């Protein structure tokens, strides 16, 4: 009787806990690694593949991380921990490198050949028989390959996708760039503070560092630059090297190397040299000693990211040296340790010097002539477009043009110009659009992706509980990572994966539909038809196409849209700035004629009269208005679609996104109304019938200010 | 068979979930409202008191909050949700106001009399019979009293304490002050960003706001100033009023009023008036309109907190008006709406004006003459001590001296001068020490607590997952709140409650022992024997007793310790600054003689030779060294005590605090060594036998700098 009543109480307790666990609100901390209980059919399938988990031999920290993740995940998905086992039995999930496979008598030559093509990071997943048992094999040449394979298997287990046969990344450098300052502010950060708590380091290592490593390893990201490209000298002093080393210790088992942004004038500012001239022996010796010092604490330190002679940062040009002189000096210090230099091509004329006639041309003008002059361990890191992370830009002309220099792509995952973390904009489509574009360059046409040696994403990660500022912004981190691994991946496929992992299988179609339309929505209500850089000064929030009084002409929105009574757009053809000549001739030719220029880039390359006839049959003026209206309508549609999803989403995440979508509709309304009011004031044209006048006069929009907008760094 | 195997699988699943739920690491987010499963005997006891929860009548938002909390708590503690019920049965937990009790025929006169003495906020808990049923009664005059009563009952249920008969607060104003800036930095914040996400407000209301309200209501805190006393004009513009109103909407059901810090020059800086002179009709009218505007959005707005003519802030003295002129002008604007002004007494001479001979005297010198001149809805808010939130200070002489002006106590919960959120220092003992001190003022000796009309605590709350930066810093929030409710509460009793709620009943004795020794530990390794303000410049981290070159003399540590070859200490007797005369004669007399001055305040009031004979028989020099050594030894003891607790604490919280205690030992070592090195360099005396020399020469300590220390705001 006692025993019965105890059991009954226990059962009641357990039932409650189970209900709580399954119905509970989610706060987003678990990202795409949620490992919630699977539905019954999926459970049976997964269980049959992982009755036990077998890793022959003693685990390394990296293969231990794989085992830990599998244990955590299977416990969550199946409701019980998998049997850890040293021996293979039917239904085992086996993790093995070639040496172990050989010991198991399973290194048959087809498998071996397949593995040898996968490099350091690749993996294969295979249902096979080993030692007369049916097993699911995760095989790789290295332990980090096993970890990647474990995450791939878990992705499949969770989404029900069929096992991938094998996968290996094409890019060896897959990095995040944190624009995180040492005081924990984050330039262009919209997700709270920096996750790097420099003050508490190295003594106190936050649990987040480990979870950050897990999330990134699950995507295959293998490097991270901890601090802002607008760097400070102190990051290279002993106390901060010790702090970075503590982070590196946490990330190392997950295959993630630590890099630092180096300020070019560091030794001078620390008063340890009398100059920062890259050709000065004193300076070269200082950097060599500094590299030695860093590698003593961080033996696998990745290297330096450098922003030089751009936006006020110091650089080699301060001493009449070239970017190559500067980069090569640092590269020489790092080379003995196998470190690299990532030298940014995002430059425009420093204050006070002669302005280029078109800011879009400057990176090419400065860097193309240096092609071939960079040391072997230097990569030039190029933003996806020539202006600055706009909602849409044509690809940067340096891709394909720098034939002798390894290039890295720099995408911005954080949404500086796309509504911060309050507007929904899935960037997978932006990444895909850029990566798949044919540069029409030798040997016989290469996509942007094919011109790359590495890739970097400016992180959207912060201390917010959901990491990214909103649940849907997690998708941008995810998409960046998956496309860094496979630059041929399709944005829709990645969205399908993410939606299934994040909101569960029943939500996939409607969630993916929202994601796929979301970025174009933002383009339409902010900068349709090739408009760009008409956002508010400094913070880049909200519309400010009227601004014309900033210190530099090329900081002013009017510089970019060039709207007047006679028309709108930036003429970058031969009649204008001729930025087009930086592209391959085939592209330059196509884009030199507005009729053959893709409409989404029309005003990027052409200045056209308001009555220019668009393919739609509308005038340019009417077309512009139609895009703004479409953007607002689609923002409302996004909200309506989410409201319809309410029954399928846990209340907390539903409500958090609903609040953001309300905000997005307000932001879209503001953009649409302000731009219509402003461009009408310039064009002097009436609104076509049926077009809603703005809610307020233009002066109202001009009067709005946002003195405490986030992300100023 | 099917049915059996399904049940078996379910049981396994539930078992796992239960194990996970009970053994899981905790991250501290739940604070003292953890509601984890009780042990069996406690479960039976609690269940017998709450078989059902009954609230007669339709719930208000406030009583609904009480019901929600009870539901959540009982579900957590008992593993099942309580039966909600409209009807009373045996074992019901009944929440009722007098009107409801009357309807139930239970408003017998003893109960009614007892209730009537409890005011708006009080409550009583009682085991009684109502309608022939045994019930546990939570009764109060208002719904907020019911909410407080529900939290009190839950505290008892969790800790096993016997039911309190009744409780009512003595102070009607129990506030938190957030020194939170509009860009989400927090001045003196060591727990991440501000929880107030001004950018996302008012559209997006973080779940944290609700949990913040719950935590504060559980302590009886009934007001919060959202923004820094170093305020900005924009906080009083329409967009920010709307944001504050959104926060107020969330807090209102929990009985928490919103207040704002007002910058005195707001209308002038917004260019809406031509002056900020408090006697200007234009200015008075502006504030009146502003108050009307605020109350339109926030009908129960609490009022303004003002820092004026202090540390560069604008104020009425800029117009040759008095603090009373300034406060009364704002008070007049708020009075029609029943708002109040809290005017801070923390002032010292503005830059460029004549310096008082002793900064400690200035607040008294400025405010005492104004006693009786303040409007009825003005309170003067006084820091606990006359310098600035030191590890230990004698009570502020204004307490007891301002007999005609209602005073508020301002404590600092965040540990600006006590090791940020990395050093453990339980402040309950500091609060108690100040509150229970006899001011020896009329009518016949009143404790500091008895001189108060309200109390404010500078919050230590931030966006960190654990809210306070460390688990033990939560205790300071808790202690502040409990002692705001009951200023006679004993620090040890509060610690016992907190430890039981936070780490569970088995940890109470050792955890409380650590807490009770922790603040004296910090005093000893930082500022023993009445030393003060010898911390690093600006950030106030680490020792800097040598600093003597700051712009104002009274910013320099040497100003405060006055150490030289002949001795050490600040002479505040009649021979010196005579700050002592600001105290009641009995205290002034006692403290004027070093022999009768409490040793912990010795160097606060006296400058003494190094060979001054201490009661211990040691010289002052040897005594000072012994205190520094004791501080370091005790820091190590804190760590050792925590290590011994490892089996009783969940791994995550254990590890997070262990890392902090390692850091604290390092900080204590730094303080001890640097101060010994410096004071030895000044005294020229040898170290007594057995005293360890500092690890480094003095110059090493002087060379340390912390350019990115947190909390600079």
């Amino acid at each position: 009787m006692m025993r019965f009543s105890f059991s009954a109480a226990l059962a009641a307790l357990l039932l409650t806990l189970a209900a709580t666990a399954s119905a509970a609100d989610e706060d987003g901390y678990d990202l795409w690694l949620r490992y919630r209980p699977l539905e019954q059919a999926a459970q049976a399938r997964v269980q049959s593949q992982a009755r036990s988990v077998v890793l022959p031999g003693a685990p390394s920290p990296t293969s231990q991380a794989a085992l830990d993740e599998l244990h955590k995940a299977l416990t969550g998905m199946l409701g019980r921990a998998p049997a850890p086992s040293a021996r293979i039995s039917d239904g085992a999930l086996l993790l093995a490198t070639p040496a172990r496979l050989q010991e198991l008598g399973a290194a048959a030559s087809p498998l071996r050949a397949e593995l040898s093509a996968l490099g350091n990071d690749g993996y294969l997943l295979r249902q096979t028989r080993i030692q007369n048992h049916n097993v699911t094999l995760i095989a790789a040449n290295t332990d980090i390959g096993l970890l990647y394979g474990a995450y791939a298997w878990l992705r499949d287990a969770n989404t029900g996708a069929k096992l991938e046969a094998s996968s290996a990344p094409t890019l060896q450098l897959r990095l995040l760039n944190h624009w995180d300052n040492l005081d924990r502010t984050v330039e262009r950060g919209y997700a709270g503070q920096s996750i790097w708590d420099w003050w508490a380091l190295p003594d106190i290592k936050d649990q987040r560092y480990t979870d950050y490593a897990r999330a990134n390893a699950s995507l295959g990201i293998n490097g991270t630059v901890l601090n802002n490209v607008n760097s400070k000298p102190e990051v290279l002093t002993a106390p901060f090297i010790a702090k970075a080393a503590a982070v590196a210790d946490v990330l190392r088992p997950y295959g993630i190397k630590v890099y630092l942004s180096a300020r070019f004038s560091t030794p001078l500012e620390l008063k340890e040299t009398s100059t920062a001239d890259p050709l000065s022996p004193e300076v070269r010796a200082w950097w060599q000693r500094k590299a030695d010092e860093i590698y003593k604490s961080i033996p696998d330190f990745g290297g330096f990211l450098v922003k030089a002679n751009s936006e006020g940062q110091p650089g080699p040009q301060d001493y009449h040296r070239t970017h190559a002189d500067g980069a090569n000096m640092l590269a020489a210090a790092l080379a003995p340790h196998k470190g690299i230099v990532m030298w940014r091509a995002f430059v425009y004329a420093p204050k006070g010097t002669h302005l280029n006639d078109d800011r879009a041309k400057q990176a090419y003008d400065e860097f193309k002539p240096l092609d071939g002059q960079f040391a072997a361990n230097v990569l030039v890191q190029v933003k996806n477009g020539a202006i600055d992370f706009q909602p849409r830009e044509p690809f940067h002309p340096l891709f394909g043009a720098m034939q002798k220099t390894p290039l890295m792509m720099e995408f911005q995952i954080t949404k500086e110009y796309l509504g911060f973390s309050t507007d929904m904009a899935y960037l997978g489509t932006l990444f895909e659009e850029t990566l798949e574009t044919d540069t029409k360059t030798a040997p016989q046409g290469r996509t942007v992706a094919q011109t790359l040696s590495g890739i970097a994403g400016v992180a959207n990660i912060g201390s917010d509980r959901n990491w990214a500022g909103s649940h849907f912004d997690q998708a941008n981190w995810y998409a960046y990572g998956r496309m860094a691994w496979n630059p041929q991946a399709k944005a829709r496929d990645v969205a399908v994966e993410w939606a299934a992992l994040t909101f569960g299988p029943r939500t996939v179609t409607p969630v993916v539909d929202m994601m796929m339309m979301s970025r174009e929505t933002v383009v339409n209500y902010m900068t349709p038809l090739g408009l760009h850089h008409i956002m508010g000064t400094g913070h880049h929030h909200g519309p400010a196409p009227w601004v014309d009084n900033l210190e530099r002409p090329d900081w002013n929105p009017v510089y970019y849209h060039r709207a007047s009574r006679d028309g709108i757009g930036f003429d970058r053809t031969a009649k204008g700035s001729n930025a087009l000549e930086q592209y391959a001739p085939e592209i330059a030719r196509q884009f030199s004629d507005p009729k053959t220029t893709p409409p989404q880039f029309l005003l990027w390359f052409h200045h056209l009269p308001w009555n220019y006839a668009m393919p739609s049959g509308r005038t340019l003026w009417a077309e512009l208005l139609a895009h703004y209206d479409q953007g607002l309508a689609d923002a409302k549609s996004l909200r309506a679609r989410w409201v319809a999803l309410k029954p399928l989403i846990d209340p907390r995440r539903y409500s958090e996104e609903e609040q953001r979508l309300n905000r997005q509709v307000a932001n879209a309304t503001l953009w649409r109304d302000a731009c219509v009011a402003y461009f009408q004031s310039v064009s002097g044209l009436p609104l076509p019938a049926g077009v809603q006048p703005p809610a307020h006069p233009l002066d109202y929009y001009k009067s709005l200010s946002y003195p405490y907008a986030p992300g100023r760094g």
Side-chain angles (χ1 to χ4, degrees), chain A residues 42 68 110 135 153 171 207 211 306 322 349 402 429 470 492 496 499 547-548 600 606 610 629 634 667 670 673 689 699:
Chain A
D68 291 348
V135 303
W153 180 79
L171 303 176
Q207 170 67 31
D211 292 328
V306 185
T322 69
M402 296 277 281
T429 50
S470 79
R492 177 177 289 276
V496 165
V547 170
D548 61 2
Q600 68 268 31
H606 302 283
W610 294 105
D629 279 340
D634 287 347
N667 193 33
L670 172 66
D673 281 2
D699 281 345

Side-chain angles (χ1 to χ4, degrees), chain A residues 482-500:
Chain A
R482 295 288 284 149
M483 296 169 93
W485 180 273
N486 175 16
Q488 273 76 45
K490 292 291 168 195
R492 177 177 289 276
D493 296 341
V494 172
V496 165
E497 257 181 33
W498 178 82

Side-chain angles (χ1 to χ4, degrees), chain A residues 643-660:
Chain A
V643 170
L645 274 167
K646 187 167 183 176
L648 299 181
I649 311 284
D650 58 285
R652 176 162 176 174
R653 288 193 294 174
Y654 173 79
S655 158
E656 289 177 347
E657 187 57 31
E658 188 196 27
Q659 294 178 67
R660 282 167 178 76

Side-chain angles (χ1 to χ4, degrees), chain A residues 254-278:
Chain A
Y254 296 88
I256 301 169
K257 282 188 183 180
V258 157
Y259 299 73
L260 293 173
S261 290
R263 185 166 165 89
F264 197 77
S265 53
T266 297
L268 177 65
E269 290 189 60
L270 294 179
K271 301 187 167 55
E272 298 181 11
T273 59
S274 59
T275 171
D277 182 345

